[in-house]
Amino acid sequence: MELIPKKLYICIVKHTYMKKTTLIILFTIMTLSGFAQGDWCGFERYRADNERIIASGEFPEVVFMGNSITEYWALYHPDFFKKHNFCGRGIGGQTSTQMLARFTADVINLHPKAVVIMAGTNDVAHNTYWVEPDKVVENIIAMCQLARANDIVPLIGSIPPCASFAWNPSIKDAAQTIVDINKRLRDYAEANGIVYVDYHTALADKRNGLPKELSDDGCHPKPDTFYIMERLVLEKIEN
């Protein structure tokens, strides 16, 4: 049983985002229905929709696996996903470890042709617990390997720029940590014939952060910012 009905959940998220309410409240709302019931990995978040897709046999072309950035993307630009037969599987607040744990349920079982993996923001923010950059890279590599083992083409999306986290201001080196992880992800992608989608270069300012014109909180893209990301990822998918 859901603690927050889906329609109300979407309404609250949109209202909270536009009003710039503190992100602690936002992430609490986003995780209540799953984590409060012990669903640390978020299996219940998309269970019903996954079952619907599997029963219909109408599988998506591409699944977008991610955190709140991916979740907002699907919420604010549903026509983009519908038009291209894409499927959003983002869960707010999640680390790369949680995404790896639900990768089979939310990606492999949907039999897409490809998956776009964008993870790491919440690892750098120390959500749930501290995850070393090495482990973030390993988790993303593991997702790529799982995808390939199941005839799904993996694409690695860079971690978008972020210089600080409103929900954890104690993190002082976020921008450089993200740059370092992205370099390792790019190197891995190039060495293994995997497409790398460089959102970071397209969005970052001189501080390697996300500028105010593109984000209200310095971490989450504004609705219009996703148009930039869409152009980048569509070019990679089509090629």
Side-chain angles (χ1 to χ4, degrees):
M1 178 179 179
E2 292 185 335
L3 294 180
I4 302 177
K6 185 176 181 182
K7 289 184 178 179
L8 177 58
Y9 164 84
I10 294 173
C11 178
I12 293 172
V13 169
K14 287 185 176 180
H15 178 78
T16 305
Y17 186 92
M18 290 186 292
K19 293 297 183 181
K20 305 178 187 178
T21 305
T22 192
L23 287 177
I24 295 174
I25 297 175
L26 179 104
F27 281 109
T28 299
I29 293 168
M30 295 175 77
T31 55
L32 257 178
S33 62
F35 298 167
Q37 301 176 65
D39 184 18
W40 184 81
C41 296
F43 291 125
E44 293 301 320
R45 176 69 177 84
Y46 294 105
R47 181 188 294 274
D49 197 43
N50 290 343
E51 291 175 349
R52 177 191 62 79
I53 290 172
I54 293 169
S56 72
E58 297 178 358
F59 301 113
E61 291 286 310
V62 181
V63 171
F64 284 63
M65 167 62 80
N67 49 45
S68 59
I69 297 173
T70 298
E71 187 168 23
Y72 287 154
W73 196 345
L75 285 171
Y76 284 111
H77 289 199
D79 291 343
F80 169 74
F81 286 82
K82 183 177 181 180
K83 176 182 178 181
H84 298 285
N85 191 22
F86 295 162
C87 182
R89 287 296 179 263
I91 296 182
Q94 283 211 331
T95 62
S96 59
T97 301
Q98 290 165 303
M99 293 181 213
L100 176 58
R102 64 182 176 89
F103 197 81
T104 295
D106 285 347
V107 178
I108 294 172
N109 290 350
L110 301 184
H111 302 290
K113 294 179 181 178
V115 57
V116 179
I117 303 164
M118 182 168 60
T121 297
N122 293 311
D123 300 84
V124 177
H126 298 190
N127 281 30
T128 67
Y129 58 90
W130 165 231
V131 178
E132 300 223 359
D134 284 351
K135 187 60 179 176
V136 179
V137 175
E138 289 173 6
N139 285 339
I140 294 173
I141 289 173
M143 284 187 265
C144 290
Q145 292 172 337
L146 279 171
R148 282 184 154 176
N150 288 275
D151 298 319
I152 300 168
V153 177
L155 293 84
I156 298 176
S158 71
I159 305 173
C162 184
S164 62
F165 304 104
W167 65 96
N168 192 354
S170 66
I171 307 299
K172 303 300 183 183
D173 57 351
Q176 187 57 49
T177 301
I178 289 172
V179 168
D180 293 343
I181 293 175
N182 281 340
K183 183 182 184 304
R184 294 184 59 186
L185 292 175
R186 182 193 287 273
D187 290 346
Y188 170 76
E190 291 178 353
N192 291 273
I194 293 175
V195 172
Y196 180 78
V197 188
D198 190 1
Y199 303 121
H200 190 281
T201 298
L203 302 177
D205 59 19
K206 293 180 179 179
R207 304 173 303 124
N208 279 319
L210 196 55
K212 291 182 178 180
E213 61 267 25
L214 299 180
S215 172
D216 286 326
D217 62 13
C219 183
H220 296 84
K222 290 182 178 180
D224 285 351
T225 305
F226 287 114
Y227 289 121
I228 301 173
M229 299 171 68
E230 286 166 12
R231 288 194 295 271
L232 291 170
V233 75
L234 273 179
E235 179 182 355
K236 298 293 186 179
I237 291 172
E238 290 170 357
N239 288 339

